[in-house]
Amino acid sequence: MQTELSTQLGVEHAVFGFTPFPAVAAAISRAGGFGVLGAVRYTAPDDLKRDLDWIEAHVDGKPYGLDVVMPAKKVEGVSETDVEAMIPEGHRDFVRDTLAKHGVPELAEGEAAGWRITGWMEQVARSQLDVAFDYPIRLLANALGSPPADVVARAHDHDVLVAALAGSARHARKHRDAGIDVVVAQGYEAGGHTGEIASMVLVPEVVEAVDPLPVLAAGGIGSGRQAAAALALGAQGVWLGSVWLTTSEADLHSPALTRKLLAAGSGDTVRSRALTGKPARQLRTEWTDAWDDPEGPGTLPMPLQGLLVAEAVSRIQKYEVDPLLGTPVGQIVGRMNEVRSVQAVFDDLTRGFERAVDRVNRIAGRSGQ
């Protein structure tokens, strides 16, 4: 499963795996793919350094990358406290009432609220890059469009390719004009922040829009035959995220959430603004239903929504409150029916890819007779 891009990066298979878990990222690279560690949850540079040290020790010298969430436009002089003050009290009441309705316990006194969506902030994202460029990362991906021009230049100075996610051909052309090296065409089926165009339509549109830049296909991909289809559409590889959530190396810290993922079908997700304020595909739960209810207060714009619900999400996850418990995940969740190792996922991908290519070759051979 090799392409020009995978050869350039020195990987055996053109499979790029996004994950928040260092153990999964390292396993992806060891299996012959390209592991990409999501950095948005690292608000302390020392924590990111610790996990990059771990990856370095466990990746067997294979290449890997980092994914950040960095706005293209810089906002000066705005702190997290300033942003918190913009949250209406009525929305805070709605959170309290929803948690009380489901009997969600409070966190222990003095216990931190856990992960907060602050990686979008300029100073946090740049502190992540200050750490990352001390490591031999080969790719820097940005989930909020093109990163600032000075970041692109800095990455290139370190011989690091820059990738950006796009949900439309228009977005992709903006990335090309900003000097991006790789465009990730992320379809409607994908988990997390995603647009409204399905992968089958989006991928060839983006390939044509940015030619000759390499394009990776993302959204709804979890099998070898789908990877073969992506390459047939003109992509130079696939970008997978959701399929790693139920691998044995993943660390969800929640048996209940793992059970929900394994039981979910492809129709059990929803694009909701409940988590961050931007449309993000996730498991449909009573939490997303509450925020999407037209009789409710509605969600706040990013980043206010993420800051508003941070403690609530931590409480829901800690106490595994089943009706409210969810996570970003794509429609491919319907194929995630058992816990498997990253290597087992790769074995299935590569075998399925070979079978799909052989089948197309046979069909083409017959049609020529």
Side-chain angles (χ1 to χ4, degrees), residues 37-59:
L37 178 67
V40 69
R41 66 191 180 95
Y42 293 97
T43 56
D46 286 346
D47 291 341
L48 178 58
K49 182 180 185 304
R50 176 201 64 215
D51 283 354
L52 289 177
D53 282 339
W54 190 94
I55 289 177
E56 274 291 296
H58 293 83
V59 81

Side-chain angles (χ1 to χ4, degrees), residues 28 36 41 88 106 124 177 203 237 251 285 287 307 319:
I28 291 169
V36 182
R41 66 191 180 95
E106 298 276 355
V124 175
D177 296 343
V203 173
D251 191 7
T285 65
W287 178 255
L307 293 172
Y319 298 110

Side-chain angles (χ1 to χ4, degrees), residues 120-141:
W120 64 274
M121 298 183 74
E122 182 78 10
Q123 63 269 30
V124 175
R126 287 187 179 274
S127 70
Q128 293 167 350
L129 297 180
D130 289 340
V131 171
F133 287 131
D134 286 335
Y135 292 82
I137 62 171
R138 296 296 311 281
L139 179 76
L140 175 68

Side-chain angles (χ1 to χ4, degrees), residues 23-344:
V24 175
I28 291 169
S29 290
R30 288 197 310 269
F34 190 95
V36 182
L37 178 67
V40 69
R41 66 191 180 95
Y42 293 97
T43 56
D46 286 346
D47 291 341
L48 178 58
K49 182 180 185 304
R50 176 201 64 215
D51 283 354
L52 289 177
D53 282 339
W54 190 94
I55 289 177
E56 274 291 296
H58 293 83
V59 81
D60 293 347
K62 302 293 181 64
Y64 61 94
L66 192 74
D67 179 279
V68 297
V69 178
M70 191 173 194
K73 295 181 180 179
K74 182 175 182 178
V75 180
E76 299 282 1
V78 178
S79 68
E80 185 177 335
T81 301
D82 296 330
V83 177
E84 288 263 19
M86 301 177 189
I87 298 173
E89 191 60 34
H91 281 72
R92 297 187 188 277
D93 290 339
F94 181 75
V95 170
R96 285 190 285 265
D97 292 345
T98 303
L99 296 179
K101 175 183 176 182
H102 291 274
V104 182
E106 298 276 355
L107 295 176
E109 185 176 352
E111 184 177 358
W115 178 64
R116 294 170 66 81
I117 300 173
T118 54
W120 64 274
M121 298 183 74
E122 182 78 10
Q123 63 269 30
V124 175
R126 287 187 179 274
S127 70
Q128 293 167 350
L129 297 180
D130 289 340
V131 171
F133 287 131
D134 286 335
Y135 292 82
I137 62 171
R138 296 296 311 281
L139 179 76
L140 175 68
N142 190 43
L144 280 184
S146 304
D150 69 295
V151 172
V152 176
R154 186 179 178 190
H156 289 164
D157 287 344
H158 285 81
D159 196 28
V160 173
L161 297 181
V162 181
L165 275 64
S168 70
R170 178 174 60 86
H171 292 156
R173 283 189 287 268
K174 287 184 176 181
H175 296 338
R176 176 200 60 196
D177 296 343
I180 299 302
D181 305 294
V182 181
V183 176
V184 181
Q186 180 169 271
Y188 171 83
E189 307 95 327
H193 295 134
T194 185
E196 298 181 347
I197 304 174
S199 299
M200 184 64 74
V201 174
L202 179 66
V203 173
E205 284 187 353
V206 171
V207 168
E208 293 175 7
V210 302
D211 184 60
L213 286 185
V215 173
L216 299 176
I221 301 173
S223 70
R225 71 178 66 181
Q226 291 171 309
L231 268 59
L233 293 173
Q236 286 202 30
V238 291
W239 177 277
L240 311 183
S242 297
V243 293
W244 315 114
L245 290 173
T246 52
T247 57
S248 54
E249 292 89 346
D251 191 7
L252 287 178
H253 298 293
S254 174
L257 181 55
T258 298
R259 287 195 299 272
K260 291 188 76 170
L261 287 170
L262 296 175
S266 56
D268 293 327
T269 69
V270 63
R271 284 175 75 245
S272 171
R273 298 177 184 267
L275 184 60
T276 69
K278 286 183 176 291
R281 186 170 297 285
Q282 54 202 284
L283 282 179
R284 182 176 181 178
T285 65
E286 292 188 29
W287 178 255
T288 62
D289 286 349
W291 283 105
D292 295 338
D293 188 338
E295 295 186 3
T299 56
L300 297 171
M302 188 179 194
L304 300 182
Q305 182 72 15
L307 293 172
L308 168 66
V309 304
E311 180 180 339
V313 171
S314 294
R315 289 165 59 186
I316 292 167
Q317 292 176 345
K318 175 178 179 178
Y319 298 110
E320 297 189 304
V321 183
D322 196 84
L324 305 179
L325 187 63
T327 185
V329 68
Q331 291 180 329
I332 197 64
V333 70
R335 294 181 60 93
M336 296 158 50
N337 301 317
E338 60 179 331
V339 175
R340 298 183 294 167
S341 69
V342 167
Q343 184 63 61

